[in-house]
């Protein structure tokens, strides 16, 4: 008896055959993990893909041990993995590494870390488990090989797996982040009124002439009956009064303000609420979706920002739940969508599970099991596609245009939206692609009838879309109206918004203080020693940092090239915007949302919560602020670097600029009144900016499609980007030239390059790029991928080219 095993390694063969010992034959079946030796001494947990009796024509090794009693991977998951490996031109081992959570992957090099949460009660552990736990308690961290020496056994994976399940340890590659509940500002009656309600009669009499304060008390009593706690902002909105009136009641000792912890991701314990009634537009959208989905299977839901698409999703999820099915709700960046998590949990409670790379091992284990058992709603980032669903009936891809759905490094370089469509095909499920700014490919598919199309052109509640204006920076500079990096109209609008008690968002797609440190005499600028990029100055840490490899150094005070002391900072990022705002608007409370301040789930949650609770007036951020945020009080959005978006040298730059600017503009005026947007640009007449001003997506898409057709770009052609990397620029140049020749023999003029990329060296590796432009033909695409695989094997087998990395990206973004 033999088993074909998938190993979590980037190996050319899809599977490797091992013999099955008599002692474990009853346990070995497709989908279970087994411990196997690969190479001379390395041990890995591999996956059984097939069991058979075909005798290999070479000497095989035996399976060492079996780690599971039941399959952890389903047949449909294997089908998905096969498709990803074939379509995205990668190995099955790379797909396995991406698909399985860390607790299901063990190798000889895996590092085991003691979990302090476990405590010191070892009574539930057997002898082997106790020895490992004792070693971990002393050393905090050991390797699998260390565990093997401690137990004096070759087979330790089953022991480690049991300790993982019991929560004694976690794996070093798992990101451990302790869960912190979300805090909201809430209001309740102060003592003695909280416990002695009969005393309120006297209070009401005393406030008879204080109309505003009486309205607050009546609103509070109404809200208190409906829900377990009353949020401060909800009370102000319900009573329609200013904060000063509420503060008066605090001073009088009638009401008291307190911070309340509200569950975000773990079990939802608050009362469920009834969702708002559907608007006419939402009802119409639901009926159109019901008609189109059975026929098309994939429907693009194109609704402007604030049109109420999430409410439509809620109704569709309800329908699937009534039928006993499962829904996968995909979001581009799960950490940025705490509002959607909370909104869904308020309606569906504990029927919603959340899955992404930042939840800890135990939570991921639970969600994995929940998917198998048929949990109705899974809210996830792109990794949610790999869960073992039982009865998947609907996939919602929210913000389908977002390039965060694309995996860049490492392989597989898959696109979650396209993979979701194939996953739905495997289950016979339906797909809804929701967005206010469709990707050009999805829009073209909808226009040509491949996808269905449902439109929601109006904002919920009859609100108008924000008023968008451009500010000509050349004119501002000519008339000397610039105030540092801000145009005068933007500063005045910010001042006015703050005076009215409103909030603002400022968008700049570049973090740090300044992107370049330059000598004014000779033109020298600070460069990364590992990458061909300028170092960005971060004022908070007073360091120069590379945003590609993380290298840091202290800023020079004297030019190392010419000795001049005339060193200056050029350009600006989010950190400088935050700094400058404190000078021009000293009374404004400013927060910054970028990778430096919101790199962890907890920091981001706290920042968003502060803005939502109006403890901040202005939020400065990178493209993080464009995604999934819904704040009632944002009246103004400012864009400071629009030209960086429109002038970027990439065929998708116009599409990305339109999407980002439209999305960030959509954060303004979502609830109470019409918002306004100011876009600072040196070229305000740029076609994309003009189309954003008019909100003319159709005009933009038509112009973009004509250009794409003329220059042979998607959606009319398929692209495959190939990058060759090596530490020696001469080797990579020769390898790229050789690789290009091999491809050109079969594909001719479809092969472009090799050329140097915009950044020729990253993390010490030099690179050259080759691009394939292929007509939309399935046989041609299949043959081209086969040619790439064959050429890679031939190239890396040649003397001197063995260490060349060939990186293949199908449908690059």
């Amino acid at each position: 008896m033999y088993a074909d095993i998938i190993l979590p390694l980037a190996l050319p063969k899809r599977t490797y055959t091992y013999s099955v010992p008599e002692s474990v034959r009853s346990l070995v079946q497709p989908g279970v993990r087994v411990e196997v030796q690969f190479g001379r001494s390395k041990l890995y947990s591999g996956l059984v893909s097939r069991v058979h009796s075909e005798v290999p024509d070479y000497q095989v090794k035996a399976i060492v041990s079996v780690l599971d009693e039941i399959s952890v991977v389903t047949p449909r998951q294997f089908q998905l993995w096969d498709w990803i490996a074939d379509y995205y031109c990668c190995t099955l081992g790379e797909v396995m590494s991406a698909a399985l959570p860390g607790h299901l992957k063990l190798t000889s090099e895996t590092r085991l870390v003691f979990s302090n949460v476990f405590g010191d009660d070892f009574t539930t552990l057997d002898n082997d488990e106790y020895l490992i736990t004792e070693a971990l308690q002393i050393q905090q961290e050991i390797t699998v090989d260390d565990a093997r020496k401690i137990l004096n056994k070759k087979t330790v994976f089953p022991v480690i797996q049991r300790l993982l399940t019991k929560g004694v340890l976690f794996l070093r590659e798992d990101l451990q982040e302790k869960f912190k509940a979300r805090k909201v500002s809430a209001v309740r009656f102060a003592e003695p009124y909280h416990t002695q309600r009969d005393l309120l009669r006297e209070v009401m009499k005393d406030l008879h002439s204080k109309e505003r304060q009486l309205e607050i008390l009546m609103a509070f009593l109404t809200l208190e009956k409906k829900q377990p706690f009353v949020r401060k902002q909800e009370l102000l909105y319900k009573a329609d009064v200013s904060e000063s009136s509420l503060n008066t009641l605090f001073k009088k000792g009638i009401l008291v303000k307190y911070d309340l912890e509200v569950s975000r991701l773990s079990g939802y314990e608050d009362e469920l609420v009834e969702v708002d009634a559907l608007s006419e537009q939402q009802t119409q959208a639901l009926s159109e979706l019901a008609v189109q989905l059975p026929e098309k299977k994939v429907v693009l839901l194109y609704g402007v920002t604030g049109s109420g698409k999430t409410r439509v999703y809620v109704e569709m999820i309800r329908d699937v739940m009534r039928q006993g099915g499962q829904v996968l709700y995909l979001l581009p960046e799960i950490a940025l969508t705490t509002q959607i998590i909370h909104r869904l949990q308020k309606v569906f409670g504990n029927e919603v599970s959340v899955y992404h790379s930042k939840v800890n091992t135990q939570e991921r284990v639970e969600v994995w099991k929940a998917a198998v058992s048929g949990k109705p709603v899974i809210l996830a980032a792109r990794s949610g596609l790999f869960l073992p669903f039982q009865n998947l009936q609907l996939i919602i891809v929210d913000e389908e245009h977002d390039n965060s759905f694309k995996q860049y490094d490492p392989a597989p370089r898959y696109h979650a939206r396209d993979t979701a469509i194939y996953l739905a095909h495997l289950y016979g499920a339906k797909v809804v692609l929701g967005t206010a700014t469709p990707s050009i490919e999805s829009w073209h598919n909808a226009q040509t009838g491949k996808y269905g199309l449902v439109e929601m052109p109006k904002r919920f509640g009859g609100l108008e879309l924000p008023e968008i204006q451009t500010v000509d920076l050349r004119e501002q500079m000519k008339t000397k109206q610039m105030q540092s990096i801000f145009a005068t109209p933007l500063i005045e609008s910010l001042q006015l918004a703050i005076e009215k008690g409103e909030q603002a968002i400022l968008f700049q797609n570049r973090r740090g203080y300044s992107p370049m440190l330059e000598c004014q005499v000779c033109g020298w600028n600070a460069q990364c020693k590992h990458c061909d990029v300028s170092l960005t100055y971060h004022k908070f840490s007073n360091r120069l940092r590379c945003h590609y490899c993380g290298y840091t150094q202290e800023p020079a005070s004297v030019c190392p090239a010419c000795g001049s002391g005339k060193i200056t900072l050029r350009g600006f990022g989010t950190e400088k915007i935050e700094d400058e705002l404190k000078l021009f608007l000293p009374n404004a409370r400013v927060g910054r949302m970028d990778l430096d301040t919101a790199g962890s789930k907890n920091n981001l949650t706290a920042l968003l919560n502060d803005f939502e609770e109006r403890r901040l007036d202005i939020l400065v951020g990178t493209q993080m602020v464009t995604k999934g945020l819904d704040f009632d009080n944002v009246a103004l959005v400012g864009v400071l670097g629009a030209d960086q978006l429109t002038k970027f040298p990439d065929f998708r730059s116009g599409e990305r600029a339109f999407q980002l600017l439209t999305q960030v503009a959509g954060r303004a005026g979502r609830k109470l009144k019409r918002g306004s947007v100011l876009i600072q640009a040196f070229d305000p007449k740029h076609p994309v900016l003009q189309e954003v001003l008019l909100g003319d997506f159709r005009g933009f898409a038509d112009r973009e499609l004509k250009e794409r057709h003329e220059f042979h770009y998607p959606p009319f052609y398929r692209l495959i980007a190939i990058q060759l990397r090596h530490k020696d620029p001469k080797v990579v140049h020769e390898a790229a030239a050789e690789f290009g020749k091999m491809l050109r023999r079969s594909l001719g003029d479809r092969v472009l390059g090799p050329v140097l990329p915009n950044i020729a060296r990253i993390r010490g590796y030099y690179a050259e790029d080759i691009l394939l432009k292929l007509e939309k033909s399935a046989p041609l695409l299949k043959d081209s991928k086969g040619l790439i695989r064959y050429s890679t094997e031939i190239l890396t087998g040649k003397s001197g080219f063995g260490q060349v990395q060939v990186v293949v990206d199908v449908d690059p973004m």
Side-chain angles (χ1 to χ4, degrees):
M1 188 173 173
Y2 299 92
D4 292 341
I5 310 296
I6 305 169
L7 295 170
L9 302 168
L11 299 167
K13 276 189 71 177
R14 298 176 81 84
T15 59
Y16 291 80
T17 303
Y18 287 79
S19 65
V20 181
E22 187 73 38
S23 58
V24 295
R25 283 193 177 184
S26 60
L27 297 173
V28 174
Q29 57 180 308
V32 301
R33 289 172 307 139
V34 292
E35 183 180 3
V36 294
Q37 183 181 340
F38 188 79
R40 290 186 178 179
S41 59
K42 299 282 174 120
L43 290 168
Y44 296 91
S45 58
L47 264 172
V48 178
S49 69
R50 188 171 74 101
V51 180
H52 57 87
S53 56
E54 300 162 16
V55 182
D57 55 3
Y58 54 88
Q59 186 69 35
V60 297
K61 295 173 184 174
I63 289 171
V64 178
S65 65
V66 180
L67 301 180
D68 304 301
E69 294 180 6
I70 58 170
S71 299
V72 295
V73 176
T74 66
R76 282 198 183 103
Q77 284 177 288
F78 277 133
Q79 285 179 275
L80 180 69
W81 292 12
D82 282 333
W83 179 83
I84 290 174
D86 286 337
Y87 186 83
Y88 290 103
C89 213
C90 61
T91 68
L92 204 53
E94 288 170 321
V95 181
M96 176 184 169
S97 289
L100 290 184
H103 72 281
L104 294 179
K105 292 179 290 187
L106 292 168
T107 73
S108 296
E109 290 84 12
T110 299
R111 300 192 73 81
L112 315 175
V113 184
F114 183 66
S115 174
N116 293 318
V117 179
F118 181 73
D120 55 6
D121 180 10
F122 297 167
T123 55
T124 60
L125 307 179
D126 65 26
N127 191 50
D128 286 349
E129 292 167 0
Y130 174 80
L131 289 172
I132 298 291
T133 305
E134 187 181 43
L136 280 168
Q137 202 176 33
I138 296 166
Q139 301 180 48
Q140 290 298 306
E141 186 174 316
I142 63 173
T143 66
V144 169
D145 279 334
D146 292 335
R148 200 172 284 126
K149 290 170 188 172
I150 290 165
L151 297 182
N152 196 24
K153 287 182 179 180
K154 186 178 180 181
T155 304
V156 294
F157 280 13
V159 180
I160 293 167
Q161 192 61 48
R162 294 199 300 273
L163 290 173
L164 272 168
T165 305
K166 291 177 179 179
V168 176
L169 58 84
F170 61 86
L171 309 184
R172 167 54 65 202
E173 53 264 37
D174 285 334
L175 178 63
Q176 292 298 302
E177 198 171 291
K178 289 183 180 177
F179 173 75
K180 287 186 182 177
R182 174 193 185 207
K183 287 187 176 180
V184 297
S185 184
V187 177
R188 67 182 172 219
F189 278 121
E191 290 295 353
Y193 309 111
H194 184 63
T195 51
Q196 300 177 49
R197 292 301 174 94
D198 54 324
L199 297 176
L200 287 173
R201 291 175 185 169
E202 288 301 316
V203 173
M204 296 290 191
K205 285 179 185 177
D206 292 343
L207 296 179
H208 186 68
S209 58
K210 304 285 195 290
E211 188 179 336
R212 294 289 189 194
Q213 294 171 36
L214 197 59
E215 284 175 355
I216 292 173
L217 281 184
M218 297 305 291
F220 178 84
L221 289 166
T222 304
L223 290 170
E224 191 187 39
K225 287 178 183 176
K226 295 180 180 178
Q227 50 203 51
F229 66 92
V230 178
R231 283 174 43 156
K232 187 184 84 170
Q233 293 305 325
E234 199 174 4
L235 178 59
L236 290 171
Y237 181 71
K238 176 81 174 172
D240 194 21
V241 295
S242 67
E243 199 160 340
S244 60
S245 300
L246 181 58
N247 287 335
T248 304
L249 290 177
F250 292 153
K251 288 172 186 173
K252 287 182 176 180
I254 299 168
L255 293 174
V256 65
K257 181 173 69 171
Y258 67 102
D259 283 339
L260 178 72
E261 287 192 351
V262 179
S263 169
R264 266 212 190 276
L265 301 183
S266 61
Y268 189 81
E269 296 170 1
D270 304 328
E271 287 186 21
L272 301 186
V273 299
E274 278 300 315
V275 286
D276 298 329
L278 291 163
S279 68
E280 186 180 334
Q281 178 176 249
Q282 289 166 338
T283 305
Q284 178 67 25
L286 279 167
S287 62
E288 289 181 30
L289 284 163
V291 171
Q292 294 190 34
L293 276 172
E295 181 188 346
K296 298 290 186 182
K297 307 299 182 189
V298 182
V299 173
L300 176 65
L301 179 60
Y302 167 41
V304 298
T305 54
S307 58
K309 295 186 290 294
T310 306
R311 178 67 183 85
V312 173
Y313 301 151
V314 166
E315 209 59 34
M316 297 185 76
I317 291 168
R318 272 182 167 171
D319 287 343
V320 172
M321 287 175 66
R322 287 190 198 107
Q323 298 165 34
Q326 289 176 291
V327 178
L328 173 60
Y329 192 135
L330 285 179
L331 295 153
E333 291 184 39
I334 197 72
L336 301 179
T337 51
T338 51
Q339 290 175 322
I340 291 183
I341 294 167
H342 192 57
R343 199 182 304 176
L344 290 183
Q345 285 185 326
K346 281 203 303 187
V347 179
F348 301 114
N350 284 324
E351 300 295 349
V352 180
S353 287
V354 181
Y355 188 81
H356 56 87
S357 60
K358 288 193 176 182
V359 299
N360 63 43
T361 304
Q362 305 310 317
E363 284 180 281
R364 268 180 271 173
V365 173
E366 288 174 17
V367 179
W368 190 272
K369 291 177 179 175
V372 174
S373 64
K375 186 91 169 191
V377 186
I378 307 286
L379 193 64
R382 58 178 182 256
S383 57
L385 292 164
F386 297 112
L387 287 169
F389 295 99
Q390 186 70 27
N391 184 21
L392 187 62
Q393 292 186 9
L394 174 68
I395 301 178
I396 295 166
V397 185
D398 202 8
E399 309 295 349
E400 67 84 24
H401 66 277
D402 199 297
N403 60 2
S404 296
F405 278 127
K406 174 72 173 178
Q407 163 75 11
Y408 290 99
D409 269 317
R413 295 170 180 84
Y414 66 100
H415 197 295
R417 177 195 61 217
D418 302 335
T419 307
I421 292 170
Y422 184 78
L423 178 67
H425 162 71
L426 292 176
Y427 281 88
K430 312 289 192 299
V431 180
V432 175
L433 309 177
T435 178
T437 52
S439 64
I440 292 297
E441 286 89 343
S442 294
W443 181 253
H444 178 69
N445 285 335
Q447 293 297 301
T448 54
K450 184 177 180 180
Y451 297 169
L453 176 63
V454 175
E455 298 187 53
M456 297 176 68
K458 298 174 185 173
R459 276 193 157 185
F460 182 79
L463 280 174
E464 291 183 87
L465 286 165
E467 179 188 6
I468 305 176
Q469 296 176 307
T470 54
V471 180
D472 191 334
L473 290 181
R474 287 176 299 186
E475 187 65 29
Q476 286 280 307
M477 287 180 171
K478 194 186 296 181
T479 55
K480 297 185 178 178
Q481 293 185 65
M482 288 295 291
Q483 301 184 49
S484 181
I485 55 180
F486 306 107
T488 297
L490 181 57
I491 283 290
E492 290 174 349
S493 298
L494 286 168
Q495 182 71 58
L496 186 62
I498 292 167
E499 287 171 2
K500 289 180 177 179
E502 297 169 337
Q503 292 171 293
I505 290 175
L506 294 183
F507 168 62
Q508 162 69 346
N509 206 25
R510 179 177 280 162
R511 66 188 171 102
Y513 189 86
S514 180
M516 191 178 291
L517 183 70
E518 187 178 72
C519 174
Q520 290 178 292
V521 176
C522 69
W524 168 89
N525 66 75
Q527 294 271 324
C528 176
K529 63 189 283 188
H530 305 297
C531 312
D532 289 344
V533 293
S534 300
L535 293 171
T536 300
Y537 177 64
H538 289 251
K539 187 177 181 182
F540 177 76
S541 58
N542 192 34
R543 303 284 290 177
L544 292 166
R545 181 181 295 276
C546 175
H547 288 173
Y548 285 86
C549 72
Y551 169 76
T552 65
Q553 68 178 48
E554 289 186 7
S557 54
V558 176
C559 175
C562 71
S564 165
K566 293 184 177 180
I567 301 284
T568 186
L569 293 167
R570 285 188 55 194
F572 63 91
T574 50
E575 195 178 9
K576 185 171 184 179
I577 296 170
E578 180 188 29
D579 215 39
E580 296 285 292
L581 280 172
K582 291 172 184 174
L583 296 175
F584 290 99
L585 301 169
N587 296 323
R589 298 167 298 174
V590 183
R592 173 162 54 93
M593 190 164 89
D594 55 29
L595 200 60
D596 299 323
T597 62
S600 77
K601 180 177 66 179
N602 295 331
N603 289 349
L604 180 62
T605 298
L607 187 61
L608 289 177
N609 197 41
D610 282 346
F611 195 61
E612 187 175 0
E613 296 291 317
R614 303 186 190 179
R615 289 189 282 270
L616 295 173
D617 300 312
I618 302 172
L619 185 62
V620 180
T622 55
Q623 61 179 310
M624 283 182 167
V625 300
T626 70
K627 301 174 185 180
L629 302 180
D630 185 6
F631 298 115
D632 297 359
N633 197 42
V634 175
L636 174 68
V637 167
V639 179
L640 280 81
D643 300 285
Q644 296 166 8
L645 301 172
T646 56
K647 308 288 186 185
F648 194 76
D650 183 85
F651 80 96
R652 292 190 193 273
S653 62
E655 179 182 4
R656 288 197 185 120
F658 186 93
Q659 289 165 347
L660 276 172
L661 292 173
T662 302
Q663 289 286 342
V664 76
R667 305 308 114 200
R670 292 175 69 90
K671 287 287 189 297
L672 304 176
K673 65 172 192 176
R674 189 182 190 192
S676 60
V677 181
L678 289 176
I679 300 174
Q680 293 187 174
F682 285 99
D683 183 14
K685 299 295 182 187
H686 192 284
V688 172
L689 294 184
Q690 291 300 305
E691 286 151 355
V692 170
L693 286 180
L694 298 170
D696 183 15
F697 175 76
R698 288 177 181 273
F700 160 75
D702 289 345
R703 180 179 58 77
E704 189 74 15
L705 283 166
K706 284 175 186 173
E707 289 181 10
R708 300 265 186 106
H709 188 270
E710 184 178 351
F711 295 104
H712 295 180
Y713 281 110
F716 305 102
Y717 277 69
R718 293 264 190 212
L719 299 185
I720 300 180
I722 304 163
Q723 186 170 85
L724 288 87
R725 300 172 184 166
H726 195 272
K727 291 189 175 181
D728 186 333
K730 185 180 177 184
V731 171
V732 80
H733 180 69
E734 291 172 358
E738 181 66 26
F739 202 83
K741 278 182 192 173
M742 286 191 280
L743 295 178
R744 208 167 270 112
R745 288 190 198 112
S746 298
L747 297 174
D749 293 342
R750 299 183 183 94
V751 182
L752 305 179
V755 297
L756 288 173
N758 292 328
I759 303 171
R761 180 175 58 117
I762 294 178
R763 296 186 182 94
Y765 280 84
Y766 293 87
E768 292 205 21
D769 288 347
I770 296 170
L771 183 68
L772 305 189
K773 281 187 177 180
L774 307 171
E775 300 90 334
K776 292 191 80 171
S777 158
L780 175 63
L781 186 64
K782 183 180 178 181
D783 292 346
S784 299
K785 290 173 188 173
L787 178 63
I788 290 168
R789 288 192 178 97
Y790 174 75
S791 301
T792 300
E793 288 180 29
I794 296 297
L795 179 79
T796 53
K798 287 187 175 183
S799 176
F801 293 151
Q803 298 302 310
V804 173
Q805 297 177 10
V806 181
V807 177
V808 183
D809 189 358
V810 179
D811 299 338
M813 293 294 287

